[in-house]
Amino acid sequence: MASPPLIFSLLFLSIFSTSFAQSSFRPKALLLPVTKDKSTNQYTTVINQRTPLVAASVVFDLGGRNLWVDCDKDYVSTTYRSPRCNSAVCSKTGSTGCGTCFSPPRPGCSNNTCSLIPDNTVTGTATSGEVAVDVASIQSTDGRNPGRVAKIPNLIFGCGATFLLKGLVAGTVGMAGMGRHNIGLPSQFAAAFSFNRKFAVCLTSGRGVAFFGNGPYVFLPGIPISRLQTTPLLINPVSTASAYSQGEKSTEYFIGVTDIKIADKSVPINKTLLKIDGTTGVGGTKLSTVDPYTVMETSIFNAFTSAFVKASAAMNITRVASVKPFGACFSTENVFGTRVGFAVPDIQLVMHSNDVVWRISGGNSMVSISREVICLGFVDGGVNARTSVVIGGFQMENYLIEFDLASNRLGFSSTLLGLRTNCANFNFTSTA
């Protein structure tokens, strides 16, 4: 029979080994589910956070600066911390403010801690909040299935107020910012596990997926998505957030669209609008998951719509009365269905080279209103649009879009519909 000291030693070794294995687990890639809410057309994900762990449903914000959650209501955690002013964490956030709270201490109400600006990018509402740190966990992946859960002991986020939730999907408690900032989730995940600062998004009308780190990206029935066209990611020198500090750059993802074509014919537009003004930050093209459909500055929208209507008429497609918020709608009478959606004129977004083209077929250009009516899923952003073209969530669905923050490149696949799969076909059955 083993002596008590030996039993204790074996027990300690067992506990230590398990603890060490958990803490030393360094995944090569992570994943989050991304689900579309049908009532708002917003995309949501779940961040497992706090102690004890809480599955926090948040709106997925592609260009958002950082994760923020409502700390006013029911935020309870034994591992919550508010970093001290002028600490390394505060420096990482870029915070220049130091807050004082005159209410009893609680998450979101601490003294001598730095502040940031939680931003509801759906409604354009922002307010001051406190920088916070807590435990989070996220599933690893081999690119084919979810794997073991990985723990992040010090995830930085912002504490927001309950009123900021107005306009977001019911039941969500904040927004998950994926933007290009030190505390954007892609950068924090990469730093936590020492993998490449890269992530990929595959949206769908149901449950899609976001990958963090290196590929592969494999969808049922075992189809790897690896052939991507690439174009530079551009930096807008002026922030596009609802509120920001002087000199702050935009955390959103801009790309250099140089031409817009319909059925291989260039749309006659003022191409100066496609460039970012280096002084004001106005103009250019960005990608956004908080805009459900692509938004265009008025003169671009009018020329684009007119060209699409003309090309549709040449295919014997009949225009019908518009349905808000869309500007051009059509009868389905002479429109056939294909693997990549309705058979309508193709749209081409030409990037930095004529050989790099984002092709948008009927599955991503036409919104079905009824069995009899479909509408061109692009909307008018007004004459004073801050960004000339905002590629919205619907146009990104069923494309694998990769953001390489280290090399400043955007990669994008052809539509997965043409590859006999789609973004809902990631296998979420865990292998752990």
Side-chain angles (χ1 to χ4, degrees):
M1 180 176 176
S3 64
L6 180 58
I7 293 172
F8 175 81
S9 297
L10 291 172
L11 180 62
F12 175 80
L13 182 62
S14 174
I15 293 171
F16 176 79
S17 298
T18 302
S19 175
F20 180 78
Q22 289 175 343
S23 62
S24 63
F25 173 50
R26 302 189 74 82
K28 295 181 180 179
L30 306 170
L31 68 80
L32 287 173
V34 183
T35 304
K36 187 172 186 176
D37 176 70
K38 298 290 175 49
S39 63
T40 62
N41 288 323
Q42 294 170 24
Y43 300 89
T44 66
T45 190
V46 175
I47 303 293
N48 292 299
Q49 187 201 36
R50 315 174 197 181
T51 304
L53 211 60
V54 171
S57 178
V58 287
V59 172
F60 187 92
D61 183 3
L62 180 62
R65 189 173 184 269
N66 55 268
L67 169 70
W68 67 262
V69 300
D70 173 18
C71 291
D72 283 354
K73 184 180 179 183
D74 300 330
Y75 193 105
V76 179
S77 175
T78 59
T79 47
Y80 176 94
R81 291 185 292 114
S82 52
R84 301 299 88 187
C85 290
N86 303 313
S87 65
V89 170
C90 292
S91 176
K92 192 172 186 178
T93 67
S95 173
T96 56
C98 189
T100 299
C101 187
F102 299 100
S103 299
R106 58 169 177 78
C109 183
S110 306
N111 288 318
N112 191 30
T113 191
C114 47
S115 59
L116 46 60
I117 305 174
D119 185 2
N120 180 334
T121 53
V122 173
T123 61
T125 307
T127 188
S128 179
E130 111 179 354
V131 175
V133 176
D134 210 335
V135 172
S137 65
I138 181 171
Q139 278 192 301
S140 64
T141 184
D142 61 0
R144 296 173 175 82
N145 299 88
R148 292 172 57 186
V149 171
K151 184 178 178 181
I152 303 174
N154 300 300
L155 188 73
I156 303 168
F157 66 101
C159 264
T162 302
F163 76 85
L164 276 180
L165 301 179
K166 185 177 181 181
L168 302 184
V169 178
T172 56
V173 296
M175 302 188 78
M178 303 290 158
R180 51 197 304 167
H181 192 278
N182 288 336
I183 61 169
L185 289 183
S187 292
Q188 287 203 69
F189 293 161
F193 300 109
S194 301
F195 55 59
N196 290 341
R197 286 196 305 132
K198 179 190 293 186
F199 74 105
V201 176
C202 208
L203 303 175
T204 181
S205 59
R207 182 173 68 170
V209 62
F211 303 91
F212 301 86
N214 292 323
Y217 314 118
V218 182
F219 294 81
L220 295 172
I223 299 174
I225 309 302
S226 57
R227 297 183 62 181
L228 305 180
Q229 297 186 76
T230 64
T231 191
L233 281 170
L234 307 180
I235 295 176
N236 189 327
V238 181
S239 176
T240 47
S242 306
Y244 55 92
S245 303
Q246 186 70 28
E248 188 176 343
K249 298 175 183 178
S250 176
T251 61
E252 297 194 85
Y253 297 102
F254 282 77
I255 54 175
V257 172
T258 59
D259 194 11
I260 301 172
K261 295 182 178 181
I262 293 175
D264 296 316
K265 293 183 180 179
S266 291
V267 177
I269 60 173
N270 177 2
K271 292 186 179 179
T272 303
L273 295 170
L274 297 177
K275 297 179 180 180
I276 303 169
D277 186 293
T279 302
T280 64
V282 172
T285 301
K286 70 180 183 182
L287 293 87
S288 169
T289 53
V290 298
D291 288 280
Y293 304 103
T294 294
V295 183
M296 294 176 161
E297 181 273 339
T298 294
S299 68
I300 297 176
F301 175 79
N302 288 340
F304 173 82
T305 303
S306 178
F308 191 89
V309 169
K310 183 177 179 180
S312 298
M315 295 177 65
N316 202 29
I317 299 173
T318 304
R319 188 175 184 181
V320 297
S322 298
V323 178
K324 291 184 178 181
F326 307 113
C329 297
F330 304 87
S331 167
T332 58
E333 186 177 356
N334 295 321
V335 180
F336 302 100
T338 72
R339 190 193 308 164
V340 295
F342 295 107
V344 296
D346 275 354
I347 298 165
Q348 298 100 33
L349 303 180
V350 182
M351 303 298 166
H352 65 287
S353 163
N354 288 333
D355 297 327
V356 182
V357 181
W358 186 333
R359 298 183 183 277
I360 301 174
S361 301
N364 291 89
S365 64
M366 307 308 293
V367 179
S368 182
I369 304 300
S370 67
R371 293 185 64 177
E372 293 79 25
V373 177
I374 53 176
C375 293
L376 180 62
F378 293 70
V379 297
D380 187 347
V383 294
N384 297 314
R386 180 166 179 76
T387 302
S388 298
V389 179
V390 181
I391 299 175
F394 182 75
Q395 275 68 44
M396 288 188 269
E397 289 180 1
N398 293 312
Y399 288 87
L400 190 287
I401 305 173
E402 182 184 76
F403 302 80
D404 190 330
L405 306 187
S407 63
N408 277 320
R409 304 287 294 183
L410 177 99
F412 56 96
S413 69
S414 58
T415 174
L416 269 59
L417 300 177
L419 303 176
R420 298 184 183 276
T421 189
N422 60 67
C423 288
N425 276 354
F426 181 75
N427 187 354
F428 277 96
T429 304
S430 178
T431 58

